[in-house]
Amino acid sequence: MDAHGTGSDARHGPADEPRAPQDGAGSRAAPPGADASSDVIPPSYERLSTLPPPQPPPNPGAEPRAGVAALTLRYQIGAALALAIVAVTVCVHLGMTFLHVAPANAVTKQHGRAIDAWIYPEFEQNWKLFAPNPLQQNIAVQVRAQVLHANGTVRTTGWYDLSAEDGRAIDGNLLPSHTQQNELRRAWDFFGATHGADNRPVGLRGALSESYLRRIVVMRLDRDGAAGTDGSIERVQVRSRTTNVRPPKWSQEQVSDQPVYRELPWWSVTPADLPGGDR
């Protein structure tokens, strides 16, 4: 009998040798410990090879940048320059204010004009270093007028409280004008410094202070319509009403609460005193 049988269990030569599994549903992946010479790559390895490389974990101690540090270099330089300008301006202002309120010295004598140009009028100080003397009185400037009407009659108006008008304009105003704050007050201070207790001028600037105050009150009366529709202001009279500021409750100081008046003589109004008049 031939070595190769003819039955169902017979071997048919080389064609019956075991063959490598083909790709398909019946294929099995080689285990990770398979021979390195194998060309079969497990599908799980193929999927892992397409993933991005792992990122290092964030530093737990690092914090996100905030404020100026979060800006770019260009904006950081701009912010630094702005802060430097503000710091220099503040230092200059503090220095000028100190020299203004300090006693007379070599610096103020040599650079007095520059200091005054910086301080006046917006940063004026009403006290001096080492000798503060804050105001303890409220001074109101009031005016009344004699009005000549077209029919020839003369009428005397009531007192207009010009300081109260300025106070109402300033109250609640975040940016009050220099005129509302200082024009009338400085004019009255100018008049008081150049006149004696008898209201007579002292020195060459007395007449100038009179005309300055007169023109201000005439302008205010015209603004308030004191002359009416058919009248003209012929004369004006100015007075001040001074009241003491009440001391605090814990103080034993006793002051009078009665107002003190200072009335000036009647002044005739000239065409130069009228708004838009010749100077």
Side-chain angles (χ1 to χ4, degrees), residues 160-243:
Y160 287 81
D161 195 334
L162 304 182
S163 296
E165 294 178 0
D166 287 346
R168 288 191 295 267
I170 295 173
D171 188 21
N173 189 350
L174 296 179
L175 297 173
S177 68
H178 172 64
T179 301
Q180 294 168 341
Q181 297 180 82
N182 298 317
E183 181 185 58
L184 184 63
R185 178 180 61 85
R186 293 296 301 274
W188 181 254
D189 291 344
F190 184 27
F191 179 87
T194 56
H195 286 72
D198 57 354
N199 298 324
R200 293 182 178 274
V202 177
L204 298 178
R205 299 202 303 167
L208 176 63
S209 65
E210 285 186 12
S211 61
Y212 181 55
L213 180 60
R214 185 170 61 251
R215 290 174 182 178
I216 289 177
V217 298
V218 170
M219 178 183 64
R220 299 291 185 91
L221 289 172
D222 181 74
R223 184 186 305 169
D224 293 337
T229 57
D230 62 341
S232 61
I233 298 176
E234 297 296 314
R235 297 200 304 168
V236 294
Q237 185 181 28
V238 181
R239 76 176 183 182
S240 65
R241 182 179 186 271
T242 304
T243 54

Side-chain angles (χ1 to χ4, degrees), residues 103 106 156 275-277:
T156 301

Side-chain angles (χ1 to χ4, degrees), residues 72-83:
T72 60
L73 179 60
R74 181 176 62 179
Y75 290 103
Q76 288 182 1
I77 295 175
L81 290 176
L83 291 176

Side-chain angles (χ1 to χ4, degrees), residues 81-118:
L81 290 176
L83 291 176
I85 293 173
V86 171
V88 170
T89 304
V90 171
C91 291
V92 171
H93 177 68
L94 293 178
M96 291 292 189
T97 304
F98 173 79
L99 293 174
H100 175 70
V101 300
N105 52 70
V107 177
T108 56
K109 291 179 180 179
Q110 184 175 358
H111 303 287
R113 290 187 176 180
I115 296 172
D116 291 342
W118 179 276

Side-chain angles (χ1 to χ4, degrees), residues 4-19:
H4 302 282
T6 60
S8 59
D9 295 333
R11 300 176 61 185
H12 299 284
D16 294 333
E17 292 295 328
R19 292 176 294 179

Side-chain angles (χ1 to χ4, degrees), residues 20-21 61 68 148 154 179 192 197 206:
V68 179
L148 176 63
V154 177
T179 301

